[in-house]
């Protein structure tokens, strides 16, 4: 799981009265696990649906409920200003109307009206309420304020009716929170990533493939997205997928299909990272029926596939092109050769010798060779951290 964008971020969860409040317990746990700092403010109604004791314990902060507690006053301005993001979830119909009109009759509303950070809301209500013109108008008003309004889901509702109005699930909320906290470093930039293995069929039941799991490519796609880029992810079968739903994913099988998708996508991007383990050879012909076992030995004629990185390198223009190299011997020399022959700006050399690095691991250790002759070495780290290392190294030395 990727955590970088949430690490140390301050999230203010505002919980209002809806049966969906129970989902905030899971969300709080997910946010804390991802390294965020969480504070919770609840309306009086919300406390009937989710326990402040549980939320206080999980968030490691007291839950704020009233403007005054005992002899002290809760500083709503400080709370509103503390947050990097305010998340109102579940957003009840009542609180929605208050937010739309700026009514300040409880601590949660005072915090909301004082908040200077971005606001994300996750509505939860019954279908008829959701479709009422007053609700529609209030939702539009919130959008005009610049708030992010999460889609409601369709399904069984607390009333027993089936329809639209279900609050987003905790994982969807987490993904939306990460999206809202994206950096702007690469805003406006488009990135193409190839990832995972390819499969070259020889008959209807068999194929030639490799051990690539696509974890590094998926981590790169998420890391680029978290830096504000738009990402096109072309992946082979069985590859791990990036976590953000906003990343465009194109599924391919063979090296020829990956070539076609990557070449088509390349014209529109600023950066391309070719992390896929593409088959170098493919069967000359694909049998339309299962090949039967006959002689003691069997020869399969193979032909070379097209080299995607090389093709993109020849048509690079001003784009930034990053390739990978997996070597078992003469690593640096071979990687340098690939860098030159394929006209890439960088080659990320994967180490097969290093324990914990390479196919299938959640960690990796790489050396990055630049066309300017520099070499940057990473430590053994999570693939998410390695993805950030690759991006930072490439952007830094590209300046
Ligand atoms: N690559 C590609 N298209 C291919 C083969 C490789 O785009 N048909 C890319 C890979 O995605 C990687 C780089 O080229 O970014 C190097 O891949 P690698 O398998 O290490 O090297 P090859 O060029 O295939 O050479 P060899 O297998 O002989 O080491």
């Amino acid at each position: 799981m990727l955590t970088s964008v949430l690490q140390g971020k301050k999230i203010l969860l505002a919980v209002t009265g809806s049966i969906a409040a129970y989902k905030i317990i899971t969300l709080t746990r997910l946010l804390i696990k991802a390294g965020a700092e969480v504070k919770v403010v609840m309306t009086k109604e919300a406390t009937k649906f989710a326990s402040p004791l549980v939320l206080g314990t999980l968030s490691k902060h007291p839950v704020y409920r009233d403007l005054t507690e005992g002899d002290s006053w809760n500083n709503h301005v400080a709370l509103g200003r503390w947050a990097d993001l305010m998340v109102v979830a579940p957003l009840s119909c009542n609180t929605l109307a208050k937010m739309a009109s700026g009514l300040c009759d409880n601590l949660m509303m005072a915090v909301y009206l004082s908040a200077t950070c971005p606001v994300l809301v996750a509505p939860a209500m019954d279908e008829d309420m959701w479709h009422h013109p007053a609700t529609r108008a209030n939702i539009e008003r919130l959008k005009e304020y610049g708030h992010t309004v999460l889609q409601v889901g369709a399904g069984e509702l607390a009333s027993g009716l089936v329809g639209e109005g279900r609050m987003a699930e905790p994982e969807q909320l987490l993904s939306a929170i990460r999206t809202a906290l994206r950096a702007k470093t690469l805003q406006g930039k488009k990135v193409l990533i190839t990832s995972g293995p390819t499969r070259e069929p020889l008959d209807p039941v068999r194929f030639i493939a490799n051990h690539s799991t696509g974890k590094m490519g998926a981590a790169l796609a998420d890391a680029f997205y978290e830096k504000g880029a738009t990402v096109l992810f072309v992946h082979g079968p069985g590859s791990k997928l990036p976590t953000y739903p906003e990343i465009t994913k194109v599924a391919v099988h063979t090296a020829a299909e990956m070539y076609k998708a990557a070449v088509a996508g390349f014209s529109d991007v600023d950066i391309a990272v070719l992390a896929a383990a593409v088959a170098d050879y493919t069967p000359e012909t694909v049998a339309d029926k299962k090949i039967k076992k006959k002689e003691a030995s069997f020869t399969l004629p193979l032909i070379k596939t097209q080299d995607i990185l090389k093709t993109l390198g020849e048509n690079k223009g001003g784009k930034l092109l990053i390739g990978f190299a997996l070597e078992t011997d003469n690593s640096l020399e071979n990687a340098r050769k690939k860098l030159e022959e394929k006209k890439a700006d960088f080659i990320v050399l994967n180490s097969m010798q290093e324990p914990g690095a390479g196919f299938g691991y959640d960690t990796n250790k790489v050396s990055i060779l630049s066309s300017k002759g520099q070499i940057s070495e990473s430590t053994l780290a999570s693939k998410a951290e390695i993805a950030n290392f690759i991006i930072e190294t490439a952007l830094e030395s590209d300046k």
Side-chain angles (χ1 to χ4, degrees):
M1 160 123 152
L2 272 176
T3 58
S4 54
V5 83
L6 282 166
Q7 193 66 46
K9 287 284 168 21
K10 299 185 180 83
I11 313 290
L12 182 60
L13 291 179
V15 189
T16 76
S18 155
I19 197 84
Y22 74 92
K23 296 181 185 176
I24 302 308
I25 294 172
T26 309
L27 176 66
T28 305
R29 258 190 64 74
L30 292 173
L31 287 168
I32 295 287
K33 248 175 89 180
E37 199 182 334
V38 178
K39 289 187 182 178
V40 181
V41 55
M42 298 178 90
T43 63
K44 209 165 159 203
E45 284 303 306
T47 61
K48 296 179 189 164
F49 295 99
S51 152
L53 178 70
V54 174
L55 287 169
T57 309
L58 291 175
S59 67
K60 304 182 180 85
H61 285 290
V63 169
Y64 302 92
R65 279 170 278 187
D66 296 308
L67 267 165
T68 55
E69 267 164 51
D71 290 337
S72 59
W73 169 72
N74 270 326
N75 189 338
H76 55 86
V77 179
L79 252 184
R81 292 206 169 176
W82 168 84
D84 293 312
L85 180 72
M86 181 170 185
V87 181
V88 189
L91 170 65
S92 68
C93 208
N94 190 33
T95 299
L96 167 65
K98 289 185 197 176
M99 286 172 74
S101 58
L103 187 74
C104 187
D105 69 344
N106 61 26
L107 175 65
M108 190 244 120
M109 283 305 302
V111 171
Y112 163 69
L113 292 165
S114 314
T116 47
C117 60
V119 177
L120 187 150
V121 302
M125 59 196 79
D126 243 293
E127 188 172 35
D128 296 332
M129 296 165 90
W130 176 244
H131 288 298
H132 193 282
T135 307
R136 309 274 21 100
N138 288 337
I139 289 283
E140 283 315 306
R141 182 63 72 83
L142 259 53
K143 288 183 182 165
E144 282 163 27
Y145 296 160
H147 302 344
T148 305
V149 179
L150 249 69
Q151 239 356 73
V152 292
E156 198 177 324
L157 301 164
S159 59
L161 297 172
V162 176
E164 277 189 340
R166 280 177 67 86
M167 187 180 80
E169 297 304 318
E171 289 73 17
Q172 292 169 316
L173 271 160
L174 184 73
S175 169
I177 290 170
R178 286 165 57 197
T179 296
L181 290 169
R182 278 206 300 162
K184 301 208 172 6
T185 334
L186 290 174
Q187 202 172 36
K189 296 281 182 207
K190 292 182 185 163
V191 183
L192 161 74
I193 292 171
T194 66
S195 185
T198 59
R199 275 185 195 169
E200 309 304 315
L202 39 140
D203 70 11
V205 294
R206 303 182 182 95
F207 54 79
I208 301 170
N210 56 65
H211 292 296
S212 170
T213 55
K215 284 184 181 175
M216 195 60 243
L220 274 161
D222 278 330
F224 270 109
Y225 181 78
E226 286 178 352
K227 291 191 173 0
T230 303
V231 181
L232 170 64
F233 186 73
V234 178
H235 63 94
S239 301
K240 183 168 170 24
L241 295 177
T243 52
Y244 291 100
E246 293 86 349
I247 292 176
T248 306
K249 294 150 194 115
V250 178
V252 297
H253 284 88
T254 60
E257 285 171 16
M258 187 171 275
Y259 178 89
K260 218 170 136 197
V263 170
F266 189 61
S267 57
D268 193 36
V269 300
D270 307 284
I271 303 170
V273 187
L274 303 200
V278 189
D280 290 330
Y281 291 92
T282 190
E284 194 171 15
T285 53
V286 182
D288 54 1
K289 293 202 180 71
K290 189 181 169 197
I291 300 170
K292 298 302 285 179
K293 161 174 70 189
K294 283 182 204 132
E295 313 300 327
S297 72
F298 173 71
T299 305
L300 182 70
L302 299 173
I303 50 166
K304 234 183 186 173
T305 58
Q306 279 175 292
D307 194 310
I308 307 167
L309 181 58
K310 196 158 187 275
T311 306
L312 302 192
E314 280 156 6
N315 299 283
K316 194 163 81 74
K319 299 176 203 274
L320 181 65
L321 186 58
I322 307 175
F324 272 68
L326 179 68
E327 306 294 341
T328 53
D329 53 309
N330 294 332
S331 303
L332 274 176
E333 197 185 311
N334 285 333
R336 168 86 40 216
K337 233 169 108 187
K338 281 179 192 168
L339 182 75
E340 282 159 16
E341 281 174 10
K342 304 197 189 201
K343 298 192 172 67
D345 297 298
F346 297 93
I347 285 282
V348 181
L349 173 61
N350 268 315
S351 166
M352 278 294 274
Q353 276 81 30
E354 195 68 34
F359 287 140
Y361 289 103
D362 290 324
T363 49
N364 206 359
K365 186 172 188 296
V366 299
S367 307
I368 304 176
L369 287 75
S370 86
S371 56
K372 293 176 187 158
Q374 294 146 339
I375 300 181
S376 316
E377 309 264 356
S378 81
T379 53
L380 184 73
S382 71
K383 286 192 169 164
E385 287 166 301
I386 297 293
N388 281 317
F389 175 72
I390 294 169
I391 298 171
E392 274 149 30
T393 306
L395 295 182
E396 193 50 43
S397 77
D398 189 50
K399 276 180 192 161

